Amino acid sequence: MDDIRFFNRHTGQLETEQVYGEAFLRFVYEHPLGALPLQALIRRAAFSQWYGRRMDAPQSREKIAPFIADYGLDADDFADPIDSFASFNAFFYRKLKPQARPIAPEVPVVFPADGRHLGFPKISEIDRFFVKGQRFDLPGLLGDDTLARRFSEGSLVLSRLCPVDYHRFHFPCAGTPGTTRLIDGPLYSVSPIALRRHLHYLWENKRTVTTLETDHLGQVLIVEIGATCVGSIHQTFNPGEPVTKGQEKGYFAFGGSSTITLFEPGVVTLAPDLLEHSARQTELYARVGSPMAT
């Protein structure tokens, strides 16, 4: 049983992830007997909707204080007091005080979410990173062959949010967003426990795609990926209205999930520590608003 290790940009340390529901995830995705409940129930939207209703119930508030204590969350960062949350889900997609996540002024592109990130300078070479035999399917991810050809030699950043993370996602750079396109699909986990064996969950799961038109970076694609217990991806921006770097784009309801940011060829250079740790097959933990690329 391998621990999930990541490098924390903010502490300068290699750390071990506290995996929410780890025993359950390892049974479902690693044990031969786990395949039956996975295919029959867990991957289906109805399961996530049922769990989401439980997290929306008033009695779910009882889970908030133990969750904060178990995972060491800093309540001083919350925009609202703990006793104001009507349910666990309301706490889960809480807002933070602006000063808790300052937006780096010195770079044009920042991380869109709190999470563990992998950066790839050339999308066409991503296959080298993952387990032999697993190929990265960009046309499958985007649901558009023309877009896939346009971005295949560009850069990509995969940002993985754990249940313990802040679950609002933001625009990585300034621009004008178009209408978000929904690609429906199942809701598998996107934890490394699942992706180490089944990378294709990234382009099979329910996901949304938004094109951001920018002045200096061409088109930037932003993809949000749903996962088990994340049946809802909520967009809070207005299509066609210009946005600033770091402005909120939306939020995930309960569960772990991911965002993917794609750039056209030759327009960005990913942050040195992101490239360094990704080359070692180690995720980089960084908060929303900190530098992602120049």
Side-chain angles (χ1 to χ4, degrees):
M1 184 184 297
D2 296 331
D3 288 332
I4 299 172
R5 303 276 281 169
F6 61 90
F7 187 85
N8 188 325
R9 168 187 278 182
H10 305 287
T11 65
Q13 300 292 322
L14 193 64
E15 299 179 6
T16 300
E17 183 176 321
Q18 279 184 276
V19 181
Y20 183 85
E22 181 172 9
F24 171 76
L25 283 171
R26 290 195 181 277
F27 170 72
V28 170
Y29 290 96
E30 295 182 345
H31 195 283
L33 295 179
L36 182 60
L38 175 65
Q39 297 300 328
L41 178 64
I42 294 165
R43 66 185 286 271
R44 300 184 184 278
F47 175 81
S48 294
Q49 291 163 359
W50 167 78
Y51 202 87
R53 287 193 296 271
R54 289 187 62 196
M55 294 299 102
D56 281 331
Q59 56 267 35
S60 67
R61 295 180 64 195
E62 299 172 359
K63 298 177 179 291
I64 296 174
F67 189 91
I68 291 172
D70 289 347
Y71 293 98
L73 303 185
D74 187 352
D76 288 340
D77 287 346
F78 302 170
D80 301 300
I82 295 172
D83 59 8
S84 71
F85 298 115
S87 66
F88 187 86
N89 220 353
F91 156 74
F92 183 80
Y93 51 74
R94 63 195 175 274
K95 292 189 174 186
L96 300 181
K97 297 172 182 174
Q99 60 268 32
R101 295 295 183 272
I103 308 302
E106 70 274 15
V107 294
V109 186
V110 297
F111 281 113
D114 281 17
R116 294 132 193 87
H117 313 275
L118 292 170
F120 304 95
K122 187 174 289 189
I123 297 171
S124 62
E125 297 178 356
I126 289 180
D127 293 341
R128 300 178 186 176
F129 177 88
F130 294 104
V131 176
K132 187 177 180 180
Q134 298 202 74
R135 298 188 61 82
F136 190 84
D137 185 354
L138 186 60
L141 174 71
L142 300 178
D144 187 313
D145 290 345
T146 302
L147 268 184
R149 286 193 295 270
R150 180 171 184 170
F151 283 83
S152 64
E153 299 301 312
S155 301
L156 179 150
V157 176
L158 170 61
S159 303
R160 179 175 64 87
L161 292 71
C162 296
V164 301
D165 289 322
Y166 165 63
H167 259 69
R168 289 182 180 259
F169 45 86
H170 297 244
F171 286 99
C173 52
T176 302
T179 301
T180 297
R181 174 166 51 97
L182 171 66
I183 305 174
D184 210 356
L187 293 168
Y188 291 105
S189 171
V190 291
S191 163
I193 293 171
L195 293 182
R196 284 169 181 168
R197 290 163 174 77
H198 305 287
L199 183 64
H200 54 83
Y201 292 162
L202 288 177
W203 53 86
E204 289 184 2
N205 275 14
K206 175 182 177 179
R207 57 205 181 278
T208 55
V209 182
T210 307
T211 299
L212 183 66
E213 299 285 352
T214 74
D215 289 339
H216 305 294
L217 301 173
Q219 284 189 344
V220 176
L221 299 184
I222 305 169
V223 181
E224 291 91 28
I225 301 174
T228 305
C229 299
V230 186
S232 299
I233 305 170
H234 299 268
Q235 306 289 343
T236 58
F237 72 95
N238 295 315
E241 291 187 7
V243 298
T244 58
K245 178 182 64 177
Q247 182 175 323
E248 182 183 302
K249 184 176 187 291
Y251 64 90
F252 294 108
F254 182 77
S257 36
S258 293
T259 72
I260 295 179
T261 309
L262 302 95
F263 302 94
E264 295 184 72
V267 298
V268 298
T269 300
L270 300 182
D273 59 348
L274 176 61
L275 291 174
E276 175 189 348
H277 294 288
S278 297
R280 297 175 182 172
Q281 300 191 350
T282 301
E283 293 170 307
L284 174 74
Y285 174 80
R287 299 187 189 107
V288 61
S290 62
M292 184 167 81
T294 57

